Amino acid sequence: MAGTSPQNAVATVASPSRMANAIRALAMDAVQKAESGHPGMPLGMADIAVALWKHHLRHNPVNPLWIDRDRFILSNGHGSMLQYALLHLTGYDLPMKELERFRQLHSKTPGHPELGITPGIETTTGPLGQGFANAIGMALAEQLLAKEFNKPDHKVVDHRTFVFMGDGCMMEGISHEAASLAGTWKLGKLVAFYDHNGISIDGEVKGWFTDDTAARFRAYGWNVIGGQEGIDGHDIEAVNAAINQALSQSPGEEKPTLVVCRTIIGRGSPNRAGTAKAHGEALGAEEIALTRKELGWTEAPFTIPRDVYAAWDAKPAGAAREKAWDEKFSAYRKAFPTEAAELLRRIKGDRPPTWPATVDKLLVACAEKKETVGTRKASAAAIAAYVAELPELFGGSADLTPSNNTDWKGMTTVKLAADGGRYIHYGVREFGMAAIMNGIALHGGFLPFGGTFLTFSDYMRNAIRMAGIMKLQTVFVFTHDSIGVGEDGPTHQPVEHASSLRLIPHVDVWRPADTTETAVAWAAAINRNHEDKRGPVALLLSRQNLAYQEKTAQQTKAIARGAYVLVDPKKPQVVLIGTGSEVGLAVDAAKVLAAQGIAARVVSMPSTTVFDRQAVDYKTSVLPAGIPRVAIEAGVTDFWWKYVRAEGAVIGIDSFGESAPAKDVFNFFHLTVDNVVAVAKKLVEAKKP
């Protein structure tokens, strides 16, 4: 019977091989019905999945968000039907009808696993290697929380992270970045399973992938089981033994473990097994019939017999595990009520009640000091103020800490995960940093931020995009945000980066103009902690000093809306829109225009993405119709035309930078008061009847 309920009692329980074949059957049936998908990996990794999910994975299908559950990540996410089959069979709220709707519009079984769509999915995977890096971030977060909250005889944070990965994950450069850090941190509760089947879409990988992967991981400081040839990934007992070995390392000697599993892609398919044809296309009705015969699977499509459901059902064990943990946590809460409340607050993502007062205090200090500093230094002041209030803030930088100013006095650095810390020196690993930050955010309990130069956001763009897709609360701190970098030249002077980041959905981009705007931008990033507005934030900060801009209390409050009127003469004839370092330029130009009898409104727009979400009435009040506008930003101009429209003008840079002192570069590209004044006057003149 299709979708037979696992609740029906049966006298016998299916064998492990029959459990694996159920995964294979569901995978090939779903891909065939969708006429799209990747059946080869699920057929090849089914036995590994039985060993892990049946004997070791601690989870509760009834409560996928149980705090102390083990994390399972499918980094080779193209094989998503493996995970969907596992979730269905073990008892998650993923009915058979959803498997039958694999890859269809609005189903709970999209082509690649997606966070928030399917219960039990811990991260969105697909771009190869990033799930592996996410898993490393999760494993790190677990050990840091354990160090911070566990007490003698009270281990309330004690779970493991398991990740499946394939040849493609291993080839992607991010696996090198992330694996190196995992070995350095000695993440002993992380176990990765390498599906070493030697096949990718183009065929046998031996023509382009001849690494000794086992030796590489040993060099990173990993415990490697199976060597380069690997254990037999179709021998469930051998995989089970490898997991036991990985989980029984001597205290103090723990390392992350890589289990190399030699498998056959498309296992069971007589004519496709071991070939690229099994990787990414449906087997076809005839081949599926032959595969069923080869596997001894006689059930109709999408039909799971009762003995298989009974063998897979993880709900009783999961409920028992969670109940035992609840009792453990109750004892912990009784003995350590403050710590228990703090752990729950942080996992939930709430902010302490004193948080708004902390922001207000910093804003008052900014207004009193009126400092002329680079916004990277203003960011350092915000970090120092906010980390004291929010222990969940967790920082880092990709080898540029002194330049990014992402550190603070008294911070503790992560060296070994078991020893704790609040700051990571990621080394020159921007992509790995971003994906690991995403994993930390996914785990819960921390709000991670990490810094690098804005031009290097190119290295990490896909991880930023993944943060946007998942609406993760990660904060990307980008300094040296324009041609103001100066002498380093065009390789280090971003011109297209601000605009391109603004195009990524769900990512809020802030380019503040002074200390107050920077403090508000940081607060906005920290306040994106609820489902209706959660998402990543990119802070774009200057190297060069920027003058403090005087503001009223009302103007300061309006910063959080993404744009506000900074200079507002009566009956303005032109509107000057600026961001970051160009706000000061607009203000100076407005003064010159005023002396020449032209009233110029200055709008500071630190976040176009936030401003675009405001009500039409507010946007119209900031940018009134009928008044010509000039947008000014030291970057590409195309983005700004939606604000100034055809009757306006944009002053920016549509080429790459130059190597020279910053002042000379700004002059060369006509980002000057004289040019802003000339352009504004031309628009005003054109408006006259």
Side-chain angles (χ1 to χ4, degrees), residues 51-126:
L52 175 62
W53 280 64
K54 179 61 179 177
H55 300 294
H56 298 280
L57 192 71
R58 296 178 298 181
H59 62 120
N60 184 4
V62 176
N63 182 12
L65 298 180
W66 168 38
I67 292 175
D68 206 39
R69 68 192 181 279
D70 288 343
R71 269 57 168 185
F72 173 79
I73 297 89
L74 192 74
S75 187
N76 43 352
H78 54 271
S80 57
M81 266 309 304
L82 174 73
Q83 191 164 13
Y84 298 148
L86 288 165
L87 293 171
H88 170 76
L89 292 167
T90 54
Y92 284 79
D93 184 16
L94 189 65
M96 185 67 80
K97 66 180 181 180
E98 294 294 343
L99 275 64
E100 295 184 56
R101 297 183 62 236
F102 178 55
R103 289 187 163 222
Q104 304 309 299
L105 185 65
H106 299 149
S107 76
K108 291 185 178 181
T109 50
H112 291 80
E114 293 187 34
L115 182 73
I117 291 180
T118 315
I121 298 298
E122 300 284 0
T123 181
T124 299
T125 57

Side-chain angles (χ1 to χ4, degrees), residues 206-257:
K206 64 183 180 182
W208 50 86
F209 183 47
T210 59
D211 299 16
D212 187 336
T213 301
R216 171 157 68 97
F217 272 72
R218 279 195 293 268
Y220 290 147
W222 284 59
N223 171 41
V224 179
I225 298 174
Q228 180 61 8
E229 288 306 309
I231 65 171
D232 183 352
H234 301 299
D235 184 337
I236 295 173
E237 285 306 313
V239 177
N240 187 45
I243 299 172
N244 284 327
Q245 182 182 340
L247 302 182
S248 59
Q249 299 179 66
S250 300
E253 300 296 324
E254 297 95 338
K255 299 177 181 180
T257 296

Side-chain angles (χ1 to χ4, degrees), residues 628-649:
R629 307 166 188 171
V630 181
I632 314 159
E633 184 171 64
V636 293
T637 60
D638 277 1
F639 175 84
W640 287 98
W641 288 102
K642 70 176 182 176
Y643 297 108
V644 304
R645 299 175 183 172
E647 63 271 19

Side-chain angles (χ1 to χ4, degrees), residues 126-305:
L128 294 175
Q130 283 197 65
F132 173 61
N134 294 164
I136 288 169
M138 293 179 193
L140 175 64
E142 189 275 340
Q143 291 206 234
L144 296 177
L145 282 178
K147 174 65 176 178
E148 187 174 354
F149 287 99
N150 286 353
K151 305 293 182 181
D153 302 320
H154 293 277
K155 293 180 68 175
V156 293
V157 181
D158 185 20
H159 51 269
R160 301 185 181 276
T161 304
F162 299 98
V163 56
F164 282 5
M165 57 192 302
D167 289 303
C169 296
M170 288 297 189
M171 284 186 266
E172 287 287 358
I174 191 172
S175 71
H176 301 252
E177 296 182 26
S180 177
L181 284 166
T184 298
W185 296 330
K186 295 189 181 299
L187 297 176
K189 298 171 83 172
L190 170 67
V191 182
F193 298 83
Y194 170 27
D195 180 31
H196 190 11
N197 61 46
I199 297 292
S200 68
I201 291 175
D202 278 2
E204 295 186 26
V205 301
K206 64 183 180 182
W208 50 86
F209 183 47
T210 59
D211 299 16
D212 187 336
T213 301
R216 171 157 68 97
F217 272 72
R218 279 195 293 268
Y220 290 147
W222 284 59
N223 171 41
V224 179
I225 298 174
Q228 180 61 8
E229 288 306 309
I231 65 171
D232 183 352
H234 301 299
D235 184 337
I236 295 173
E237 285 306 313
V239 177
N240 187 45
I243 299 172
N244 284 327
Q245 182 182 340
L247 302 182
S248 59
Q249 299 179 66
S250 300
E253 300 296 324
E254 297 95 338
K255 299 177 181 180
T257 296
L258 178 70
V259 182
V260 182
C261 301
R262 178 66 70 173
T263 64
I264 299 172
I265 192 170
R267 166 87 168 187
S269 172
N271 299 301
R272 297 284 185 89
T275 71
K277 292 284 286 183
H279 181 95
E281 59 183 80
L283 297 181
E286 183 177 342
E287 186 66 16
I288 287 177
L290 293 174
T291 305
R292 275 181 151 74
K293 183 177 180 181
E294 178 74 16
L295 298 174
W297 189 263
T298 59
E299 309 298 331
F302 298 105
T303 301
I304 301 298

Side-chain angles (χ1 to χ4, degrees), residues 261-601:
C261 301
R262 178 66 70 173
T263 64
I264 299 172
I265 192 170
R267 166 87 168 187
S269 172
N271 299 301
R272 297 284 185 89
T275 71
K277 292 284 286 183
H279 181 95
E281 59 183 80
L283 297 181
E286 183 177 342
E287 186 66 16
I288 287 177
L290 293 174
T291 305
R292 275 181 151 74
K293 183 177 180 181
E294 178 74 16
L295 298 174
W297 189 263
T298 59
E299 309 298 331
F302 298 105
T303 301
I304 301 298
R306 293 177 182 177
D307 65 318
V308 174
Y309 271 131
W312 271 116
D313 188 8
K315 288 187 290 186
R321 290 190 184 104
E322 184 171 359
K323 181 180 179 183
W325 183 85
D326 286 342
E327 293 171 353
K328 185 188 300 184
F329 190 77
S330 294
Y332 177 79
R333 179 157 31 197
K334 184 175 181 180
F336 305 98
T338 301
E339 289 85 348
E342 177 69 1
L343 176 60
L344 293 177
R345 178 189 73 79
R346 285 172 54 176
I347 292 293
K348 189 176 179 182
D350 288 342
R351 302 289 169 252
T354 53
W355 161 240
T358 301
V359 178
D360 292 341
K361 183 178 179 181
L362 179 59
L363 293 176
V364 169
C366 291
E368 290 176 346
K369 294 179 180 178
K370 299 177 173 39
E371 292 180 296
T372 294
V373 296
T375 50
R376 61 172 175 163
K377 292 186 177 179
S379 171
I383 290 170
Y386 295 159
V387 296
E389 175 66 19
L390 302 172
E392 58 264 42
L393 269 182
F394 184 85
S397 181
D399 199 53
L400 292 168
T401 297
S403 295
N404 296 151
N405 297 161
T406 41
D407 54 348
W408 63 93
K409 185 178 180 180
M411 72 180 190
T412 52
T413 301
V414 175
K415 295 178 180 178
L416 298 179
D419 293 338
R422 286 186 71 182
Y423 192 88
I424 293 175
H425 295 286
Y426 286 97
V428 188
R429 301 182 180 95
E430 293 88 354
F431 192 9
M433 174 181 73
I436 288 171
M437 286 168 56
N438 287 346
I440 293 170
L442 284 160
H443 181 276
F446 294 101
L447 197 173
F449 65 90
T452 187
F453 291 175
L454 178 55
T455 190
F456 300 146
S457 64
D458 286 336
Y459 286 129
M460 51 202 290
R461 181 166 304 278
N462 199 262
I464 298 171
R465 183 175 187 270
M466 296 304 291
I469 288 175
M470 292 186 274
K471 298 184 179 179
L472 299 181
Q473 195 175 16
T474 45
V475 182
F476 303 103
V477 180
F478 296 120
T479 65
H480 298 61
D481 71 335
S482 74
I483 56 173
V485 171
E487 293 85 348
D488 280 340
T491 62
H492 283 53
Q493 293 172 5
V495 292
E496 76 276 23
H497 298 74
S499 289
S500 63
L501 288 171
R502 291 170 180 140
L503 295 176
I504 304 175
H506 307 146
V507 178
D508 276 354
V509 179
W510 287 83
R511 190 168 181 248
D514 63 6
T515 54
T516 296
E517 286 192 7
T518 305
V520 172
W522 259 108
I526 292 167
N527 287 334
R528 293 197 80 185
N529 61 323
H530 294 294
E531 289 295 339
D532 60 338
K533 61 181 179 180
R534 184 174 290 130
V537 170
L539 303 176
L540 280 47
L541 309 168
S542 74
R543 175 194 185 192
Q544 73 272 28
N545 291 339
L546 305 183
Y548 182 80
Q549 303 297 333
E550 290 286 351
K551 303 172 194 66
T552 65
Q554 184 177 2
Q555 287 173 318
T556 298
K557 185 177 180 181
I559 295 170
R561 304 186 77 166
Y564 64 102
V565 179
L566 180 61
V567 176
D568 194 20
K570 293 181 179 179
K571 297 183 179 180
Q573 297 164 274
V574 65
V575 177
L576 307 179
I577 308 168
T579 71
S581 51
E582 287 68 71
V583 170
L585 178 59
V587 170
D588 291 343
K591 293 175 182 177
V592 174
L593 288 166
Q596 297 181 14
I598 297 175
R601 168 181 282 194

